[in-house]
Amino acid sequence: MVSVAYSSVSTATAAVGAATLVITIALKKKKERYNRRGNFPSSSPWYLPSLDLMFAIRAGSLDKFFTNRAKALKSDTFYMKFPGINESLVVTNPRDQAEVMRKEGKLNFVVDMPDTLDDTHGPGSLQALHGTKHNFFRKIFASILHPSALESFAPFLHEAFKNMWKQIEEECSNNNTSDTVVIQDAICKAQFFLMAKILYGMTPENTSMEVMLQLRQDFEAQLEGHFSPRGSAKFIKAKEGSERIHKILADKFDSVLKERRALYQQQDSGDEEKKDDSKNDGSSSGRNIGNAMDVVADALLKEGVDTDEKVLSETIDNLDLLLEASHGTTMTVTTNTLYYLNLPENKDKLDKLRTEMKGLGIEPTYTQMKNNMSYADAVIKESMRICPIIVSIAYKSDEEMSFSFKGQKLQAPISITLAFGQNFTDERFFPQPDSFIPERWLSDSDLYVSDEAQKAFMPFGAGRHLCLGFKLADLVLKSALYCFASDEKRVIEFDHSNVAKKAGIFPSYSISDGFPGRVSRATCS
């Protein structure tokens, strides 16, 4: 009996000791966490990261996940943790997001992306850079976005989109009345060849169709594989496609550099001031630019880094990123915008857009589109609000430093997610959030949104890591809308009961099945 009692006491003592150890470890972790992470709540316990994934799946979309968790935690700032991804501090309030971005320079933010994106985009993309190197490449690629460069791109855009709509209409008229065209696929095809010409100077006349089609196929695989698990079939396909894209772009850029270098050497060495002026205005010695590779090559030559292998490798990474920023995003936004414009309840919006397009005349210049398309601007913004490409953006700092946020002391390294998509459908910011109302973006309208709502709207990101190609993307979107709406009778007919907005990962929202429809100037028959 004594031995049994002794055994029971030993067991109880061991259990108490184990429990004490667990509690001590938990308290230590809590203290360490508070010292580094402040007193913001966590969406799920640190030892159960899969709970957040379950919450997100149950919500159906990431923006709804943010809304649900903020409500459940009774806090507009909280930590989330998905399997395989850094724990991140989620900030949902626009004022708090502005406070975060004011610390961007001090914390040396980079975009916090899955590691798989380094293998597809490349580690030298602007999203992964900060400080001096980030500023350098921003300067190099800014030359592409100079007004003179954008002006030279405009005619190519008009030609491509006019031909695209003509071809779709012909396909509609030649097919059965029950046949449809997948609008996004048509836009993707036309726009890809257009952007290959504008960005890389690649056309069927100077590049084999085999290479062009391989580039397009690899680009689409790259988009699909960005967020796929490492080792999955989609990721492997994306990785292989990315390697081929980088090889094609590197070979092309090498030939462009040789050509531009030879032209530089032919210039009068005593005419440096004239040469500098031509580079500063993006005009490449007064000629029409026509493609971005020439502009980037000239910028590297001007900086004297045209033989630096590291710089050249990172330039290729960003030329790849630029295609995604100016093409991958815009083909989806264009499709979404056309869907909303062609809904029966939005006929008056399309009519207003047509009136504005009529005032621009034939083939408007970049300057005209920039200054005289206020309603088109509003239409694009409203489309990106109601059907956003992204609903959040995560930044991370790898610096070892402390900083204050919302009155609390935090410690970097840290990841911070600016969650804004849920604000796009918040009635406090956007009354009638489910309605397509471009007028809310017009400053002379009674429906004009508040300053706080405008701060909540950041479809291209924010701060120093604002989307690399947003100015070019804006030009592409306006050109596509102009070429569609400048014809007063052009319409897209589709099954309103089956075609609708759908949630995803990237893009966060799009139109189901790529928007199947029939295009004509009146009605397809």
Side-chain angles (χ1 to χ4, degrees):
M1 292 294 291
V2 173
S3 62
V4 172
Y6 178 78
S7 175
S8 298
V9 170
S10 297
T11 302
T13 301
V16 170
T20 302
L21 180 61
V22 168
I23 292 171
T24 301
I25 292 173
L27 289 173
K28 184 178 179 181
K29 280 186 172 290
K30 184 176 181 180
K31 183 177 180 181
E32 290 175 352
R33 179 183 177 82
Y34 178 78
N35 289 339
R36 296 186 63 85
R37 299 295 187 248
N39 199 31
F40 297 113
S42 292
S43 178
S44 61
W46 59 269
Y47 49 86
L48 288 176
S50 295
L51 269 183
D52 275 340
L53 180 60
M54 183 191 74
F55 290 143
I57 292 172
R58 183 182 295 171
S61 65
L62 198 54
D63 53 326
K64 290 178 181 176
F65 163 79
F66 294 138
T67 298
N68 294 347
R69 298 315 297 153
K71 184 177 180 180
L73 297 166
K74 298 180 180 179
S75 175
D76 57 13
T77 305
F78 57 90
Y79 285 96
M80 69 175 182
K81 179 72 173 75
F82 291 130
I85 300 177
N86 294 327
E87 180 185 55
S88 190
L89 180 64
V90 178
V91 181
T92 65
N93 188 295
R95 291 188 298 275
D96 297 335
Q97 291 170 356
E99 182 182 349
V100 169
M101 295 315 298
R102 286 194 292 271
K103 303 178 189 298
E104 181 182 19
K106 174 185 176 181
L107 292 170
N108 280 328
F109 279 151
V110 297
V111 179
D112 190 8
M113 302 179 293
D115 293 340
T116 50
L117 278 168
D118 278 347
D119 289 327
T120 50
H121 274 157
S125 87
L126 267 167
Q127 306 287 45
L129 301 178
H130 64 79
T132 303
K133 183 172 285 190
H134 179 271
N135 294 340
F136 171 77
F137 276 104
R138 272 284 175 188
K139 177 182 177 182
I140 293 298
F141 279 85
S143 54
I144 299 171
L145 306 175
H146 191 279
S148 60
L150 295 173
E151 199 72 74
S152 72
F153 299 156
F156 298 127
L157 293 165
H158 295 324
E159 179 184 9
F161 286 123
K162 282 183 178 179
N163 289 338
M164 180 191 77
W165 290 119
K166 181 179 179 181
Q167 290 169 8
I168 296 175
E169 287 169 8
E170 289 175 353
E171 186 176 342
C172 259
S173 62
N174 293 334
N175 287 344
N176 236 307
T177 55
S178 60
D179 292 337
T180 60
V181 173
V182 179
I183 303 300
Q184 182 160 309
D185 285 354
I187 293 171
C188 178
K189 179 181 177 181
Q191 198 169 283
F192 177 83
F193 289 105
L194 166 66
M195 299 314 294
K197 179 176 182 177
I198 285 178
L199 297 180
Y200 310 138
M202 297 171 66
T203 67
E205 290 72 35
N206 62 28
T207 306
S208 73
M209 186 54 65
E210 180 182 359
V211 170
M212 297 283 283
L213 292 175
Q214 183 67 61
L215 186 65
R216 180 188 172 197
Q217 180 180 325
D218 288 337
F219 175 73
E220 291 173 358
Q222 184 176 259
L223 283 179
E224 290 184 4
H226 277 336
F227 299 96
S228 299
R230 191 179 296 278
S232 67
K234 279 189 176 181
F235 173 76
I236 292 171
K237 187 176 180 181
K239 172 65 173 171
E240 292 172 349
S242 177
E243 289 172 352
R244 283 191 294 268
I245 290 173
H246 279 66
K247 177 67 167 59
I248 291 170
L249 296 185
D251 290 345
K252 177 67 176 177
F253 193 61
D254 182 60
S255 66
V256 169
L257 263 180
K258 288 177 180 176
E259 176 189 339
R260 302 305 300 154
R261 193 178 291 121
L263 288 174
Y264 261 59
Q265 291 170 352
Q266 291 172 11
Q267 289 181 340
D268 182 359
S269 60
D271 197 15
E272 291 296 324
E273 182 178 349
K274 180 178 178 181
K275 183 174 73 174
D276 283 348
D277 287 343
S278 70
K279 298 301 172 295
N280 287 335
D281 70 7
S283 64
S284 295
S285 301
R287 65 182 179 82
N288 286 328
I289 298 163
N291 85 79
M293 269 194 177
D294 282 1
V295 183
V296 172
D298 285 352
L300 294 181
L301 284 161
K302 182 181 176 183
E303 295 293 328
V305 293
D306 56 295
T307 58
D308 187 314
E309 292 300 322
K310 178 69 171 173
V311 169
L312 293 178
S313 174
E314 291 170 338
T315 298
I316 299 303
D317 288 344
N318 285 295
L319 284 168
D320 181 13
L321 176 64
L322 189 62
L323 179 61
E324 182 172 322
S326 59
H327 170 52
T329 298
T330 54
M331 69 179 184
T332 304
V333 176
T334 300
T335 303
N336 298 350
T337 305
L338 290 170
Y339 165 79
Y340 283 101
L341 284 172
N342 284 276
L343 285 170
E345 62 265 32
N346 295 329
K347 184 180 181 301
D348 61 322
K349 317 300 183 189
L350 180 54
D351 288 342
K352 287 182 182 180
L353 182 66
R354 284 172 170 155
T355 299
E356 184 173 79
M357 298 306 98
K358 187 176 181 181
L360 291 172
I362 300 174
E363 294 195 4
T365 64
Y366 162 71
T367 302
Q368 287 177 300
M369 288 191 286
K370 178 185 177 184
N371 297 331
N372 302 304
M373 291 183 72
S374 59
Y375 195 74
D377 267 327
V379 165
I380 292 168
K381 286 181 178 179
E382 184 66 351
S383 171
M384 296 186 78
R385 180 198 67 81
I386 202 169
C387 206
I389 294 293
I390 58 172
V391 295
S392 65
I393 184 167
Y395 294 104
K396 68 176 179 179
S397 170
D398 293 324
E399 304 293 325
E400 285 283 353
M401 66 170 64
S402 61
F403 65 100
S404 62
F405 174 62
K406 294 186 70 172
Q408 296 195 42
K409 189 174 182 179
L410 305 180
Q411 178 71 37
I414 191 171
S415 171
I416 301 178
T417 295
L418 306 186
F420 44 79
Q422 75 288 344
N423 295 328
F424 297 176
T425 53
D426 189 329
E427 289 189 346
R428 293 174 299 175
F429 298 114
F430 300 99
Q432 298 178 261
D434 295 327
S435 298
F436 185 75
I437 308 174
E439 288 75 13
R440 70 172 93 238
W441 299 103
L442 298 175
S443 59
D444 59 353
S445 169
D446 293 338
L447 302 174
Y448 191 47
V449 295
S450 66
D451 289 342
E452 190 170 19
Q454 292 182 59
K455 290 175 183 176
F457 185 70
M458 49 179 78
F460 289 109
R464 300 178 184 182
H465 289 85
L466 188 70
C467 175
L468 174 62
F470 83 96
K471 287 187 179 179
L472 180 56
D474 184 63
L475 174 60
V476 172
L477 290 167
K478 287 181 178 177
S479 296
L481 284 185
Y482 168 80
C483 291
F484 177 84
S486 57
D487 188 311
E488 295 182 357
K489 295 183 179 180
R490 182 174 286 132
V491 294
I492 302 177
E493 299 175 331
F494 59 97
D495 184 347
H496 305 146
S497 60
N498 289 322
V499 180
K501 167 183 171 181
K502 69 170 186 177
I505 298 176
F506 181 78
S508 295
Y509 287 96
S510 59
I511 304 306
S512 59
D513 301 318
F515 190 15
R518 294 180 57 78
V519 182
S520 75
R521 287 187 177 86
T523 181
C524 285
S525 59

